[in-house]
Amino acid sequence: MRDPRYDILFTPVRIGPVTTRNRFFQVPHCNGMGHSQPLAHAAMREVKAEGGWGVVSTEECEIHPSSDLSPYIEARLWDDRDIPALALMCDKVHAHGALAAVELSHNGPTASNLYSREVLIAPSHQPSKYGYPSQARAMTREDIRQYRRWHRDAALRAKRAGMDIIYVYAAHDLSLAMHFLQRRRNQRSDEYGGSLENRVRLLREVLEDTRDAVGDTCAVALRFATEELLGPGGVELAEAQDIVGMLAELPDLWDVNVAAWYNDSVPSRFAPEGAQEPFISFVKKTTTKPVVGVGRFTSPDSMVSQIRRGVLDLIGAARPSIADPYLPRKIDEGRVEDIRECIGCNICVSGDMTITPIRCTQNPTMGEEWRKGWHPERMPAKRSSARVLVVGGGPAGLEAARALGQRGYEVSLAEARRELGGRVTREARLPGLAEWGRVRDWRLGQLNKLTDVSLYLDSELTAQDVLDFGAEHVVLATGCHWRRDGFGRSNGLGIDGLKDSPHVYTLDDLMDGRMPSGRVAVFDDDGFYYASIATDLLRLNNCEVSYVTTEDSVAPWSVNTLDYRHIRKRMAKQGVWVMVSHNIVSFDGATLVLENTWDGQLTEQRCDALVTVTSRLPHDALYQQLRERETAWADSGIRSLRCIGDAEAPGLIAHAIYAGHRYARELEEPVTDEVPFKRHFHTARENDLRRE
C-alpha cells in the first residue's frame, strides 16, 4: 500500500477546465521520433500514461513551415494533415486516464528552415542562432498578426486532435514569444519593443488568443524561463518576477524553468536534484494558478517537500519519466525501492541531438516500445527450464541476469572481483558521478528479490570452469580496459614509446588509485566525458593539468549531452591549460612533443606524466578460448555462447545495459533473418496513417 506521507502526490489538481488525476506531470521533452515516427512516439507516451503520469506532453510542436527545425525531428501542426499523428498520441494517453498536452512553438531565429526554405523571422534583424549561414528578417506588424493567427490555428488543430492542455512556449531561448522578451533579440522601437511592458505584449496577446480559441475545453499553459544566466542581455530573475506579475492570472498553468536547455537539463555531474528552486520558487507566491517545475526529481520525499513548502503544485519531470515511466505507480503501490532512478547522464538528450529515437542508460526499453514491443515492466516468460551462466557483474552482466531472472530462468552470475557493478562502480567513484551508481544499485535491488538468481563474487572462471559448470546458455560480459599505447581515432598505429613508459597512465590507473603528480597532460582522443573527468580528479589531487586533443574543440561529443559548456567553464575555473587541434608525436617522461594537426608545427611541453584517453580493448580472452573449444560444448551441455557489452565492443554504459537486456529478451526466442524491429513506412495514399 502507498505510504501515507505521499498521499498529497495523488490528489487531483484543477487546471482551468480540466483536472489531472494526480500531481505527476511529464513536461514536454524531445525524443527524436516526433512527426517522422508517430506510431513510435505515441507508444512511448502511452507507456508513461500507463505508468501513472497525470499529464503526458509532447515535445515542442512546430506551428508553421517558417519554424522548421530540420534536421531535428519534433512534433508538427503545420496544417490539418498533421492532426492524425497527434490524435494517435492523445488516444493512447487518454486510454490510461491521463491528460494530453502539446507545446506549440515557433522558433523564429532559432529555427533552421532547411527543409521548408522559408525566410527566418525574428523580432529584429539578426543571424540565425545555430550557425546556419543565414539571417532572420525583422517581423513587420503584419508578420506579427500572421504569427498570432498561425498559433491560434495550431491551437485549434491541437484541440481537434484531442489535446487537453495547450502550451504557449516562452522558454529555452527557442520561441518567438521568448525572443520578444529578450533585449538582445528585440531592438524594436514600436509597441512591441523597448519597455518591458512592450516586450511582454506579444506573449500576452498569444496567451489571450489561445484562451479565446480553445479555453472553453482546453487548459492554456505558459512555459516560461525565469533566468537565462546571461546578464542584462537575457531574461533575468528580477525582470522575470515582473513578467510573472504582469501575467499572473492569464494562463491556467505556469510551467517554469531556467534557460537555455543546457541550464535546464543540467547533467547530474554539475547540478543536484532540485537545483532550479532558487529561480522558480517566487512564482507560486505571485499567482493563484497551479505551478509545475522540474528538478530531476526521483525521490518522493523531495517531491512532497516541493509541494508542502509551496514551491510547486505539480511535480514536473522529463528525464525521471524516461528512466522510469512507472515512477508514479511505484510510489502509489508502495514500491518506492523499485523506482529506476534517473542518473542525469543525458543520454536521452543525445537522441534529439543526433536525430535518432530517444535512448536511456537506466531504461533500455525507452524508444523500443513500438519498434520492438518492449515494455519497461514486463518481460516474456522463459521458453524452457535451461540454466544460464553470466560471467561478469558489470552493467551488461547485471542487466542480463536481472532480466533473465524476471523471465523465470535459473541464473548464476560469476564476478571475478569482490564487488559488483564493474565499470559503473569504478566510474561512480570519480568526481561528480556518484549518482551513476544507481545503475548498479537498482539492479542489485531487483536481483535480491529473484530467488532463481545466484551471485558469486571473487570467482574468476577459466574456460574449463565454464565447461564444467553445466549451464545450457553462457553469456560473457567481462568488460574492457583502457589502452595505454595511444591507439585511437587519431593514431591508428599507436604512439611510439607510450605502452611501456612508467610515466603514462590510463583511466584504469586513476580509478585504481595510481595517481601521477606534478605537471600532467591529459590526451583526449575519445571526445566524451572521460578526459574532463580525469582533469577533475587530477586537479583534486593538486596536479598542474593541461588538456590536449586532436579535435578542434574540447570534448566535442559532450555537446550531445549538454555537458560541453559546463566542462569548459569548469576547466577555466580550475586553471586547466587547453590545447586543441594537436596530436602527440612523442613523450619521454619529461617532454611532450605535440604537432599542430593543421600546419604540422611542432611544440614542446614540459610534463611529468601523461594520461591517455584514447580507446579500449575488450576482455574477450575467455570468449575466444571457449570458441576454440566449441567441439566440447555438446558434452558440457552448452547450447549457446554469447559475448556482450564492453567485452564485445566497448561503448557507453547505455550500450552495455541495452546489450544485457537484449540478450535476456531474445534468449531462446524465434530468430528471423528479417529486420528485427518495426519501421514506419509511408503508404501510396496520402493521409493513410495506420492507427495501431
Side-chain angles (χ1 to χ4, degrees):
M1 298 295 293
R2 182 172 74 218
D3 189 321
R5 293 178 298 168
Y6 307 139
D7 286 349
I8 195 172
L9 298 174
F10 295 90
T11 54
V13 177
R14 186 76 176 174
I15 308 173
V18 300
T19 300
T20 175
R21 60 184 171 182
N22 58 38
R23 296 178 185 264
F24 295 95
F25 195 115
Q26 182 248 282
V27 297
H29 72 74
C30 301
N31 55 86
M33 296 181 285
H35 66 83
S36 71
Q37 299 179 48
L39 295 168
H41 174 251
M44 180 267 289
R45 303 291 187 195
E46 179 185 17
V47 170
K48 296 189 183 190
E50 181 185 291
W53 295 89
V55 179
V56 178
S57 307
T58 66
E59 63 276 38
E60 59 182 313
C61 179
E62 305 167 3
I63 65 172
H64 189 263
S66 60
S67 65
D68 167 31
L69 296 174
S70 300
Y72 301 101
I73 302 169
E74 313 298 342
R76 275 182 182 164
L77 277 174
W78 289 3
D79 62 27
D80 289 356
R81 289 170 293 183
D82 291 313
I83 292 175
L86 290 180
L88 177 62
M89 173 199 148
C90 289
D91 291 347
K92 298 289 189 181
V93 167
H94 289 158
H96 299 281
L99 299 178
V102 61
E103 182 179 72
L104 302 181
S105 180
H106 190 298
N107 285 49
T110 62
S112 70
N113 294 350
L114 293 175
Y115 173 66
S116 70
R117 302 190 74 174
E118 296 293 323
V119 175
L120 294 169
I121 57 176
S124 305
H125 293 294
Q126 58 196 269
S128 62
K129 178 179 179 179
Y130 291 111
Y132 301 115
S134 60
Q135 290 199 187
R137 65 173 176 82
M139 295 170 68
T140 64
R141 287 185 177 87
E142 177 59 25
D143 290 328
I144 291 174
R145 285 191 288 271
Q146 289 295 328
Y147 161 65
R148 291 175 57 186
R149 180 178 65 81
W150 298 336
H151 198 282
R152 180 187 180 93
D153 289 348
L156 289 168
R157 292 185 187 108
K159 178 180 178 179
R160 287 163 54 196
M163 293 293 173
D164 305 289
I165 300 174
I166 313 295
Y167 265 89
V168 174
Y169 187 36
H172 298 122
D173 189 27
L174 291 178
S175 70
L176 279 175
M178 184 176 187
H179 298 152
F180 271 78
L181 301 175
Q182 301 163 326
R183 285 183 289 271
R184 72 180 184 279
R185 296 198 184 280
N186 183 350
Q187 289 100 41
R188 302 176 70 95
S189 57
D190 61 7
E191 67 271 30
Y192 289 97
S195 68
L196 180 60
E197 183 177 0
N198 282 356
R199 286 182 280 121
V200 172
R201 188 182 307 277
L202 181 61
L203 177 55
R204 181 190 297 276
E205 291 175 342
V206 173
L207 282 166
E208 292 170 343
D209 292 342
T210 307
R211 290 198 64 166
D212 178 67
V214 302
D216 55 336
T217 60
C218 299
V220 177
L222 171 56
R223 199 175 202 190
F224 174 63
T226 64
E227 176 63 77
E228 290 190 88
L229 304 176
L230 294 174
V235 174
E236 295 182 281
L237 188 58
E239 193 172 65
Q241 292 171 338
D242 292 336
I243 295 171
V244 174
M246 291 178 182
L247 305 175
E249 303 303 307
L250 191 52
D252 297 311
L253 171 74
W254 283 87
D255 180 343
V256 287
N257 58 22
V258 178
W261 194 11
Y262 50 78
N263 289 324
D264 182 17
S265 298
V266 183
S268 59
R269 177 182 169 191
F270 300 101
E273 180 179 5
Q276 296 201 28
E277 183 175 332
F279 303 102
I280 63 173
S281 59
F282 74 91
V283 178
K284 189 164 164 53
K285 300 179 179 68
T286 312
T287 178
T288 64
K289 300 301 178 69
V291 178
V292 62
V294 296
R296 200 168 46 81
F297 298 114
T298 59
S299 163
D301 295 306
S302 297
M303 299 174 193
V304 169
S305 175
Q306 291 284 309
I307 295 168
R308 294 205 180 280
R309 290 187 295 109
V311 180
L312 299 173
D313 296 292
L314 296 138
I315 302 302
R319 292 174 291 176
S321 76
I322 295 165
D324 199 334
Y326 266 56
L327 184 151
R329 279 188 62 170
K330 290 176 180 178
I331 298 174
D332 192 26
E333 296 170 359
R335 299 190 294 122
V336 173
E337 75 281 359
D338 290 334
I339 294 174
R340 193 187 294 105
E341 293 183 289
C342 171
I343 68 171
C345 66
N346 283 3
I347 290 301
C348 55
V349 174
S350 73
D352 184 62
M353 294 293 197
T354 57
I355 312 131
T356 51
I358 191 170
R359 303 289 183 243
C360 176
T361 297
Q362 276 281 58
N363 176 13
T365 70
M366 178 52 56
E368 303 291 354
E369 299 87 354
W370 176 81
R371 205 175 77 118
K372 288 194 170 184
W374 289 4
H375 191 279
E377 301 299 312
R378 296 192 288 268
M379 295 283 288
K382 65 179 182 180
R383 288 276 181 170
S384 74
S385 59
R387 294 171 298 166
V388 185
L389 172 62
V390 179
V391 183
L398 287 177
E399 177 61 16
R402 184 208 65 79
L404 287 164
Q406 186 180 352
R407 290 189 65 184
Y409 282 99
E410 180 183 339
V411 182
S412 298
L413 185 152
E415 164 56 44
R417 294 174 179 262
R418 296 181 179 179
E419 61 181 1
L420 291 167
R423 64 177 288 192
V424 168
T425 294
R426 289 160 63 75
E427 290 188 28
R429 295 181 181 131
L430 294 170
L433 299 188
E435 291 191 40
W436 293 30
R438 294 173 173 180
V439 171
R440 170 203 60 217
D441 295 343
W442 182 79
R443 284 161 179 82
L444 289 180
Q446 300 303 301
L447 284 166
N448 288 334
K449 297 181 179 184
L450 298 171
T451 57
D452 288 334
V453 178
S454 301
L455 306 177
Y456 301 94
L457 298 178
D458 201 14
S459 300
E460 185 171 359
L461 302 185
T462 65
Q464 189 61 49
D465 292 332
V466 172
L467 292 170
D468 292 342
F469 195 87
E472 286 86 350
H473 302 288
V474 178
V475 56
L476 305 181
T478 43
C480 64
H481 66 273
W482 286 92
R483 299 181 67 141
R484 66 176 66 249
D485 59 2
F487 178 90
R489 292 189 179 94
S490 303
N491 299 285
L493 299 176
I495 301 174
D496 289 342
L498 296 194
K499 184 176 181 179
D500 299 317
S501 172
H503 302 282
V504 173
Y505 298 73
T506 69
L507 275 173
D508 290 319
D509 293 325
L510 271 54
M511 289 188 285
D512 288 337
R514 180 173 173 255
M515 296 291 300
S517 59
R519 298 166 296 184
V520 183
V522 176
F523 178 55
D524 184 6
D525 199 28
D526 172 76
F528 195 19
Y529 65 91
Y530 303 103
S532 64
I533 286 285
T535 65
D536 287 349
L537 184 60
L538 292 166
R539 290 297 294 129
L540 287 172
N541 282 270
N542 299 314
C543 295
E544 180 182 328
V545 182
S546 59
Y547 169 97
V548 180
T549 180
T550 59
E551 300 285 351
D552 292 334
S553 62
V554 170
W557 208 83
S558 68
V559 169
N560 296 313
T561 53
L562 307 181
D563 287 271
Y564 176 76
R565 290 172 179 266
H566 303 289
I567 289 172
R568 291 306 310 259
K569 288 180 180 179
R570 179 170 290 181
M571 282 187 173
K573 185 176 181 180
Q574 292 171 333
V576 174
W577 183 70
V578 173
M579 179 172 280
V580 299
S581 305
H582 279 75
N583 200 358
I584 294 177
V585 175
S586 64
F587 176 59
D588 62 7
T591 301
L592 186 66
V593 179
L594 302 172
E595 179 182 39
N596 186 297
T597 56
W598 297 113
D599 64 15
Q601 183 175 345
L602 300 181
T603 59
E604 293 186 354
Q605 177 183 329
R606 300 290 296 173
C607 64
D608 303 302
L610 173 67
V611 176
T612 61
V613 185
T614 56
S615 61
R616 289 165 283 178
L617 280 173
H619 292 153
D620 61 353
L622 180 58
Y623 175 70
Q624 300 300 340
Q625 292 163 11
L626 286 167
R627 294 297 307 181
E628 291 174 359
R629 300 182 64 178
E630 188 169 355
T631 55
W633 291 5
D635 291 340
S636 298
I638 295 177
R639 289 158 44 191
S640 74
L641 172 70
R642 282 286 307 279
C643 185
I644 65 171
D646 288 343
E648 180 181 30
L652 302 175
I653 296 172
H655 296 144
I657 294 291
Y658 175 79
H661 192 84
R662 180 179 181 181
Y663 172 81
R665 287 259 181 190
E666 295 179 351
L667 183 66
E668 297 190 323
E669 294 296 312
V671 177
T672 174
D673 290 333
E674 297 179 357
V675 176
F677 50 83
K678 291 188 285 187
R679 294 179 288 163
H680 287 75
F681 289 99
H682 298 288
T683 63
R685 297 188 312 177
E686 189 175 297
N687 291 331
D688 184 16
L689 177 67
R690 291 172 57 217
R691 297 171 68 85
E692 295 187 2

